[in-house]
Amino acid sequence: MPGAVPSASGGLPDKRRAISRAARRVFGREGYARASLDVIAAEANVAKRTIYNHYAGKEQLFLSVAIEGADAVTEAVRVLMERHLRKIVDLEEDLTAFCLDRAKAVTEFPEHFALVRTIHAEVTRLPDAVLEKWTAHGPPSSHKRLAPYLQKIADRGLLEFDDAEKAANRLNTLTVNDVLIRSFYGAVPLPEPVVEEIITEGVQAFLRLYAPPSAAPHARTASARLSEAPAPTSAG
C-alpha cells in the first residue's frame, strides 16, 4: 500500500521504485489508455498483485509517477532560480542564463517529458483527478513558483509590472515554453544555437515589456529599432 513501512531488507521500497520506473517508461511509450498493468509488472519484474499492494490501480499509479517527475523537475528549477535569480548582477544576462539552464532540464528528464507528451495527447481521456493534481504540480503552475523571484527583482526597481504571476507566465511563454513546444517536449531536440536564439530573443522581448527605461538600455534600444522600422509594404 502507498506509504508502506520499509522492511528490514528494504524490499518494499525497492519494488515500489522498480514499479515506478517501469510505469514511467510504459506510460511514456504506450500512453495512458493503452498501457496495461500487466506490461508494467513484467517490465518491473514483479507480480501484478504487487502493484496493487502499492497503488490502488492504474489511475493512481499514473498520477504518482507524473507527480514524482514534476516534483523532481520543480526541485531542479528551484535550484536554478536560487543560482541565477536570487542575486542579480546583470538582469538580461542572469535571466538568459537561468532560462538556458532551465531549457536543458528537458534533456535531463526525458522519461518525465515523455509523460508530459502523453498528458497532452490524451487530455480528454485522463481522469479529472489526474488533470487537477497535474495542473497544481506540473508545468501549468510553474509561473507561480517563478513569480516571487520576479517580484523581488521588481522590488529593486529592475522590473515594472502589476501582477508578478502574469509576468512570470509571459517569461515562460517567451522562453522555455517556446523551446518545449518547438521540440515537442523533447521528442525532437533542437540544435543548441536554435535554443540559444529562442531564449535570447525571448528574454529581450520580456525586458522590452517589463524593464523600466533606466534599467534596460539594450531592450530600450531594441524597442526603438522596432518602432522606427519602416512599415511593411503590401504584397498586392
Side-chain angles (χ1 to χ4, degrees):
M1 66 187 72
V5 176
S7 65
S9 64
L12 286 179
D14 287 343
K15 287 184 178 180
R16 187 180 177 93
R17 282 194 293 271
I19 294 168
S20 178
R21 287 195 297 267
R24 190 172 291 108
R25 290 194 301 270
V26 174
F27 282 129
R29 185 177 69 235
E30 305 291 339
Y32 178 78
R34 292 179 56 190
S36 73
L37 293 184
D38 292 299
V39 172
I40 293 171
E43 291 214 11
N45 197 28
V46 301
K48 184 177 178 180
R49 181 69 252 173
T50 303
I51 294 179
Y52 284 107
N53 289 339
H54 294 273
Y55 302 93
K58 179 177 171 180
E59 177 181 328
Q60 188 192 48
L61 176 56
F62 182 83
L63 178 60
S64 176
V65 296
I67 297 306
E68 284 174 7
D71 287 347
V73 174
T74 294
E75 174 58 19
V77 174
R78 184 196 67 79
V79 171
L80 295 178
M81 290 191 293
E82 285 289 304
R83 180 187 305 162
H84 294 293
L85 304 182
R86 177 165 289 279
K87 185 177 180 180
I88 297 297
V89 177
D90 181 290
L91 182 57
E92 182 175 337
E93 288 185 4
D94 291 333
L95 285 177
T96 301
F98 163 65
C99 292
L100 283 171
D101 280 353
R102 188 177 174 190
K104 291 177 184 176
V106 180
T107 62
E108 296 172 2
F109 298 90
E111 291 181 347
H112 171 69
F113 283 100
L115 279 182
V116 175
R117 293 193 293 272
T118 290
I119 291 172
H120 280 256
E122 301 190 45
V123 63
T124 59
R125 293 192 291 270
L126 292 175
D128 290 342
V130 171
L131 291 177
E132 181 180 351
K133 291 186 179 180
W134 168 253
T135 299
H137 285 258
S141 63
S142 63
H143 64 288
K144 295 181 182 293
R145 296 180 283 275
L146 175 58
Y149 289 87
L150 295 187
Q151 184 61 62
K152 289 180 180 179
I153 296 172
D155 291 343
R156 293 178 51 190
L158 299 178
L159 292 171
E160 290 182 348
F161 45 68
D162 296 325
D163 189 315
E165 287 191 10
K166 288 183 179 179
N169 188 56
R170 183 65 61 86
L171 179 61
N172 287 346
T173 300
L174 291 168
T175 57
V176 66
N177 288 1
D178 197 5
V179 173
L180 289 172
I181 290 170
R182 294 198 204 183
S183 68
F184 297 91
Y185 289 87
V188 184
L190 299 176
E192 187 173 337
V194 174
V195 174
E196 291 179 355
E197 181 180 24
I198 293 170
I199 296 299
T200 300
E201 293 182 354
V203 169
Q204 290 173 1
F206 175 80
L207 291 177
R208 287 196 294 270
L209 289 169
Y210 294 109
S214 60
H218 176 85
R220 190 170 65 252
T221 301
S223 180
R225 286 199 301 269
L226 288 176
S227 64
E228 294 168 3
T233 58
S234 172

